[in-house]
Amino acid sequence: MGWNTWNKYGCNINEDLIRETADIMVEHGYLAAGYEYLNLDDCWQSNERDENGTIIVDSEAFPSGIKALADYVHSRGLKFGIYSSAGRETCAGRMASLGYEKQDAVTYAEWGVDYLKYDNCNWGENDGPAHVRFQAMKDAIEKTGRDMFYSICSWGAENTWDWASQMGQSFRTHDDIYNDWSSIVQIMAVHTKLTDFGGPGHWADPDMLEIGNGRLNYYESKAQMSLWAAMKAPLILGNTLAEMPKELYDIATNPEIIAVNQDPLGIPARRIHGSGAYTDIWAGPLVNDSLVVVMVNWDDAPGGMVIDVSKPWSVGYQGPNVTATELWSGQVTNGTTIDVFLASHEAKVFKFTGGTFNHSKLPMEQWSIIDNTDEKVYPAASLSNSVHGLARRRGLKKAIGDAYVIALGNVNPPETGALTFHQVKGRGIYAMIITYRDCFSWDPCGNKFSRRWNLRVTVNDGEPTWISLRSSHHWLGQQRNRYTMGIVLTEGENNDIHFDNPDGFAPSIEGITLRRLRDLPEVVVAGNGDDDHPTAFILSPMESGDPLAPQGALPELGRLIVDYTWEWVIFALLIIFGVWLVRIIRDRRRRQRKDLEYILLTTS
Ligand code: GAL
């Protein structure tokens, strides 16, 4: 728990602000409530290093230097955090740490830094994958012998959860939060699937709190605090603390809610009901056999529902003396059933006590009884997993020839996605349906203008085939898209199905479905297509689902028409409306003029 400069101040930071904030954290009770880290984000650095390679601080903003500042922060009983990036420059273009990890870690240790937020901006293709760049800093910190909280800020890229949950004390699962309820909705849609990756000492981080920054209303502030607390997310404020309105201050410092966040078990609550559209129910075990249940209303209208936590679809929480305390209001209900009414965007937090449930058996499977048909998208799995392995794990193992869907993950450079198809029955042509969405599941990638990104598909060492997939991130809402291409598979194992984009980001592939189109005669050389049938090829426009996916098919003009269909329609409607309006105004004026002429005529 702590405070960070970025959300409110961006690069407009200086040592006076930090000292004042330190004072306020202590004097206004934030430290007492648990907010103990005071963290500098981007822009404390200059753009340079000295002749020894030591980072030079922005001396205009921090004339007394960082050590003096850290000493002051410590003297107030707080801990001190700092920021850098696993690249050549930070995201704001200041000097970052790639190649200087050891030196920077030593500097931080000398300054007395307790927390490092390490970002992922401005690295080059040859600098290695994120897990390598972030590991370098982790090793460097460890070598200093100083205890530093290592906060990994790679926004969910390169399947952050797969590697960062074993590397950092926290790891970001999403792009930056922004100061609006819609940002919380977007983040939660992704974070929901990743809560299980977090736990004690490796907290999944949906980004900082926006409470007190002027856009979240009372209920929305309560909802962010409730969800973040129950998900065991880091609670990092980022507003002007001195100006926090009393009702929001009470939300941010509510001891009961903070106790849920700091619960010694450290098990993140997970969604057990809902789909992020109307009312969600989240639940998670707390110490002493108690249970936290959060209900949140995403809808713009008030709503509610009755839940009974003793029911097996719920969490099976039972006992003769169960009581539920709503932690924001203190209201107590007896029994396992609660009837909840929620204002739009409100959340309530119930702590159930007096009962038992076997939470040793609950992690993963049992907790994932999700009454949500849209929830077939699993957390992106490591791309090196084979389809076979994944399919088996999901209980979806079937011989090829039948279709099945497997969750993959982001295909980001410099990593590639590799798959194996097992048990293929005889050489044949298959329709390979690629289900994809945004490259980080939250943001469009590739070329934003053309709304496309490129994917190179190589099957069994054949000629690579490039496709250019349409962005699914559309103003109409996030959609999952499909594209179908043809591939040739051979009898038995097909070990080498590759997806990558060496030139940039590729889309997030969520599933691959195979459908056998027709048999081909066996060829002696296994694993290859032939002259008529390259191993990967483009199907007809009708079959593929996107006539413009083959690169270079209809170039820019065609794409402008196809990719912007909705914009064209709206543009045309606006023009029609404009013309109609002009005509109405013109007719009215004409009529008025005529009336005037008539009056003048009759009166003269
Ligand atoms: C972003 C990061 C933000 C903030 C910013 C600073 O990459 O996600 O939280 O640190 O950089 O430039």
Side-chain angles (χ1 to χ4, degrees), residues 4 6-7 11 41-43 83 90-93 117 119-121 153-155 172 174-177 207-208:
N4 169 294
W6 184 255
N7 282 359
C11 278
D41 207 283
D42 210 341
C43 299
Y83 162 100
T90 67
C91 301
K117 171 173 172 180
D119 215 329
N120 193 28
C121 280
C153 179
S154 58
W155 332 297
R172 279 268 297 276
H174 201 278
D175 193 11
D176 296 8
I177 194 164
D207 208 359
M208 299 178 278

Side-chain angles (χ1 to χ4, degrees), residues 294-528:
V294 178
M295 293 179 75
V296 55
N297 178 15
W298 300 106
D299 204 357
D300 290 338
M305 67 190 323
V306 180
I307 68 158
D308 182 350
V309 291
S310 69
K311 290 276 184 283
W313 68 263
S314 176
V315 291
Y317 191 78
Q318 280 169 324
N321 302 314
V322 174
T323 57
T325 309
E326 203 285 305
L327 298 181
W328 291 111
S329 62
Q331 206 178 348
V332 180
T333 320
N334 291 321
T336 58
T337 308
I338 40 173
D339 184 355
V340 187
F341 177 80
L342 298 160
S344 165
H345 303 176
E346 185 182 15
K348 287 187 174 166
V349 183
F350 296 88
K351 184 175 173 183
F352 284 85
T353 52
T356 50
F357 63 123
N358 187 353
H359 59 72
S360 64
K361 287 212 174 133
L362 286 176
M364 283 315 244
E365 272 73 37
Q366 292 203 31
W367 278 89
S368 61
I369 309 165
I370 295 171
D371 178 20
N372 171 17
T373 43
D374 194 31
E375 206 50 29
K376 299 220 168 58
V377 185
Y378 304 101
S382 161
L383 280 162
S384 52
N385 276 329
S386 71
V387 168
H388 183 62
L390 278 166
R392 193 173 41 209
R393 239 195 290 146
R394 308 277 182 225
L396 288 167
K397 185 179 168 209
K398 277 187 182 173
I400 294 280
D402 298 317
Y404 55 70
V405 181
I406 306 98
L408 290 181
N410 306 327
V411 188
N412 293 332
E415 289 182 5
T416 60
L419 294 176
T420 302
F421 293 128
H422 295 259
Q423 300 174 28
V424 174
K425 289 181 196 153
R427 183 166 176 262
I429 296 185
Y430 289 81
M432 180 166 74
I433 303 153
I434 302 171
T435 309
Y436 65 96
R437 64 161 98 192
D438 312 325
C439 65
F440 296 144
S441 2
W442 39 257
D443 208 24
C445 301
N447 177 344
K448 284 192 193 192
F449 174 67
S450 71
R451 297 201 177 151
R452 296 258 168 186
W453 52 76
N454 299 330
L455 186 66
R456 186 169 68 173
V457 182
T458 318
V459 174
N460 291 337
D461 285 333
E463 277 295 302
T465 300
W466 281 91
I467 49 178
S468 177
L469 299 174
R470 208 177 329 177
S471 162
S472 56
H473 193 96
H474 199 269
W475 54 267
L476 276 179
Q478 256 202 17
Q479 292 153 359
R480 214 164 290 145
N481 278 345
R482 287 200 173 150
Y483 175 74
T484 306
M485 64 185 297
I487 58 173
V488 170
L489 295 178
T490 57
E491 168 85 31
E493 306 272 291
N494 289 251
N495 287 325
D496 209 7
I497 322 294
H498 266 276
F499 303 88
D500 68 358
N501 177 11
D503 304 330
F505 287 114
S508 169
I509 299 179
E510 290 191 341
I512 300 287
T513 308
L514 281 180
R515 188 158 38 86
R516 194 172 175 97
L517 291 178
R518 67 189 158 88
D519 295 345
L520 284 176
E522 287 300 329
V523 282
V524 187
V525 188
N528 274 323

